């Protein structure tokens, strides 16, 4: 685990990457910001009233000497931000309503990313996932060719590293969604120095069962191969056929995946969420995430039960996604 984050730090060091933290009064956020500032690996931006943020930092014995603090109520660029927000929302909000909305720290922070005042955003320590993700979907939006954002976990145990997706966002992805999730997950894998070998999972291996659920995955495999023919990807697979070489040799002898998959695409959120938690609790894997993917700029969501260490690590991941 330490090696994984050391590698990320080395990737982002010296790149002058700015990450905005909208929850400037949360002690876990400020503790992590102080550590990030001290290490000079990236540049934190904190949102909040300057006097209140500074007072809280002093109580925590955290130095914010080199940290930018933006107060939405006093931000000099608010007029331009309001205009940009109204344009981005394509007339769905009035200028008056936009001014009101942009006093919300998550919307304000997301607009800083959209306007390239910051490279990424980390929130969720004191907000729900919806409060963090909604502004990102409305303002930053998904990449060209990607309909929906998705959430991956990096599963780590010793030297083992795997990618599980989607375990956080899409309840019932269709074939197109699954294909897009597979391709975006491959990009995320590479960020963690995992050369992606992608298995599209089901309860069937290569036609051993047929149903609308299995056909959805078969179609997703076809679409993903058309969209990204360079990827090592196949399915549909039961998990053992994707992961155990001896089972793969029997169930899918002609596949490019030889029981050596390291990126696993689950057919539904239900399966993905259950799968990563089983690996975490029974397999003693550490689950890093969820890491949101598919957006034009990185936005990541913390658990409200997170620690300062979680904030610190997610900041590195967000910065690496911005490269």
């Amino acid at each position: 685990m330490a090696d994984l984050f050391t590698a990320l730090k080395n990737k982002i060091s010296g790149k002058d990457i700015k990450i905005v933290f909208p929850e400037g009064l949360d002690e876990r956020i400020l503790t992590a910001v102080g550590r990030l500032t001290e290490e000079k690996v990236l540049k934190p931006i904190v949102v909040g009233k300057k006097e209140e943020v500074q007072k809280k930092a002093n109580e925590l014995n955290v130095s914010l000497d080199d940290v930018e603090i933006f107060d939405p109520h006093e931000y000099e660029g608010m007029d331009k931000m309001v205009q940009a927000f109204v344009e981005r929302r394509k007339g769905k909000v009035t200028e008056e309503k936009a001014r009101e909305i942009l006093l919300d720290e998550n919307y304000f922070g997301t607009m800083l990313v959209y306007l390239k005042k910051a490279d990424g955003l980390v929130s969720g320590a004191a907000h729900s996932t919806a409060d963090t993700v909604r502004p990102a979907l409305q303002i930053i939006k998904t990449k060209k060719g990607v309909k929906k954002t998705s959430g991956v976990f990096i599963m780590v145990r010793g030297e083992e590293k795997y990618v599980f997706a989607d375990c956080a966002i899409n309840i019932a992805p269709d074939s197109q969604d699954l294909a897009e999730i597979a391709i975006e997950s491959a990009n995320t894998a590479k960020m963690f120095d995992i050369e992606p070998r992608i298995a599209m999972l089901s309860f069937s291996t290569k036609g051993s069962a047929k149903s609308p659920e299995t056909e959805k995955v078969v179609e997703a495999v076809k679409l993903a191969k058309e969209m990204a023919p360079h990827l090592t990807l196949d399915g549909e697979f039961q998990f053992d056929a994707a992961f155990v070489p001896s089972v793969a040799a029997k169930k899918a002898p002609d596949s490019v995946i030889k029981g050596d998959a390291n990126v696993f695409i689950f057919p539904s959120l239900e399966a993905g969420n259950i799968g990563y938690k089983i690996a975490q609790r029974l397999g003693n894997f550490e689950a890093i995430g969820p890491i949101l993917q598919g957006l034009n700029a990185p936005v990541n969501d913390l658990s409200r039960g997170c620690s300062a260490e979680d904030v610190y690590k997610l900041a590195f991941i967000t910065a690496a996604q911005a490269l």
Side-chain angles (χ1 to χ4, degrees):
M1 179 60 69
D3 290 344
L4 186 149
F5 281 97
T6 298
L8 283 182
K9 287 170 73 171
N10 291 337
K11 282 184 179 181
I12 65 179
S13 290
K15 301 294 196 301
D16 202 31
I17 297 171
K18 294 184 176 183
I19 301 298
V20 60
F21 298 87
E23 298 161 321
L25 292 178
D26 190 285
E27 64 180 59
R28 297 161 295 177
I29 297 292
L30 289 178
T31 300
V33 164
R35 186 176 171 190
L36 291 164
T37 305
E38 188 177 319
E39 293 181 359
K40 301 185 186 301
V41 178
L42 56 84
K43 293 187 175 182
I45 296 171
V46 172
V47 177
K49 293 186 177 180
K50 292 184 179 180
E51 299 81 7
E52 293 179 4
V53 172
Q54 191 60 63
K55 180 182 177 184
K56 187 71 173 179
N58 291 341
E59 291 172 2
L60 297 168
N61 198 28
V62 169
S63 172
L64 298 180
D65 290 347
D66 297 320
V67 176
E68 291 182 283
I69 303 173
F70 289 157
D71 180 353
H73 294 84
E74 299 180 0
Y75 183 58
E76 292 181 357
M78 183 56 82
D79 288 344
K80 289 184 178 179
M81 183 180 281
V82 167
Q83 183 180 354
F85 182 71
V86 171
E87 290 175 359
R88 189 61 166 164
R89 298 295 289 134
K90 296 181 179 178
K92 292 179 181 177
V93 294
T94 63
E95 182 176 320
E96 181 182 5
K97 185 64 176 177
R99 287 187 182 278
E100 178 185 332
I101 291 171
L102 290 173
L103 293 178
D104 177 278
E105 54 264 40
N106 279 317
Y107 273 96
F108 179 81
T110 303
M111 280 301 294
L112 290 177
V113 177
Y114 176 65
L115 295 172
K116 301 192 185 305
K117 305 292 185 184
D119 300 293
L121 176 146
V122 172
S123 188
H127 290 87
S128 69
T129 295
D131 289 337
T132 300
V133 175
R134 187 184 300 111
L137 294 177
Q138 291 178 356
I139 298 167
I140 294 173
K141 302 187 180 181
T142 55
K143 297 175 185 175
K144 185 177 180 180
V146 177
K147 290 193 301 180
K148 298 174 182 175
T149 188
S150 53
V152 308
F153 281 86
I154 310 301
M155 308 301 293
V156 182
R157 184 177 64 184
E159 298 298 313
E160 295 176 85
K161 292 185 292 187
Y162 306 104
V163 177
F164 283 15
D166 177 359
C167 303
I169 302 293
N170 296 288
I171 295 173
D174 61 22
S175 296
Q176 181 72 28
D177 296 334
L178 289 174
E180 291 174 4
I181 290 166
I183 294 166
E184 287 301 309
S185 297
N187 295 332
T188 299
K190 290 175 183 176
M191 190 178 81
F192 287 91
D193 296 322
I194 300 169
E195 187 57 38
R197 300 182 61 80
I198 305 159
M200 310 290 280
L201 298 179
S202 181
F203 58 83
S204 166
T205 299
K206 294 293 184 179
S208 63
K210 284 192 180 293
S211 74
E213 291 81 6
T214 64
E215 290 303 310
K216 176 181 79 170
V217 180
V218 171
E219 178 65 15
V221 172
K222 176 174 173 286
L223 290 172
K225 287 181 175 180
E226 290 173 355
M227 294 161 65
H230 62 285
L231 290 177
T232 302
L233 176 151
D234 205 3
E236 86 282 18
F237 289 126
Q238 293 159 289
F239 184 83
D240 56 355
F243 190 69
V244 182
S246 60
V247 178
K250 293 176 183 176
K251 291 188 174 184
D254 298 325
S255 176
V256 294
I257 300 296
K258 307 291 185 183
D260 54 359
N262 51 25
V263 177
F264 300 94
I265 309 304
F266 292 85
S268 68
L269 181 59
E270 184 176 44
N273 190 270
I274 291 168
Y276 101 79
K277 288 183 182 293
I278 288 174
Q280 183 184 36
R281 300 301 178 180
L282 292 184
N284 294 318
F285 278 85
E286 182 163 354
I288 300 169
I291 302 165
L292 299 186
Q293 57 185 18
L295 293 166
N296 281 308
V299 169
N300 278 311
D301 177 42
L302 293 156
S303 162
R304 277 176 280 183
C306 69
S307 65
E309 180 73 12
D310 295 329
V311 179
Y312 172 80
K313 289 178 176 178
L314 194 57
F316 283 148
I317 291 169
T318 307
Q321 285 180 293
L323 291 174

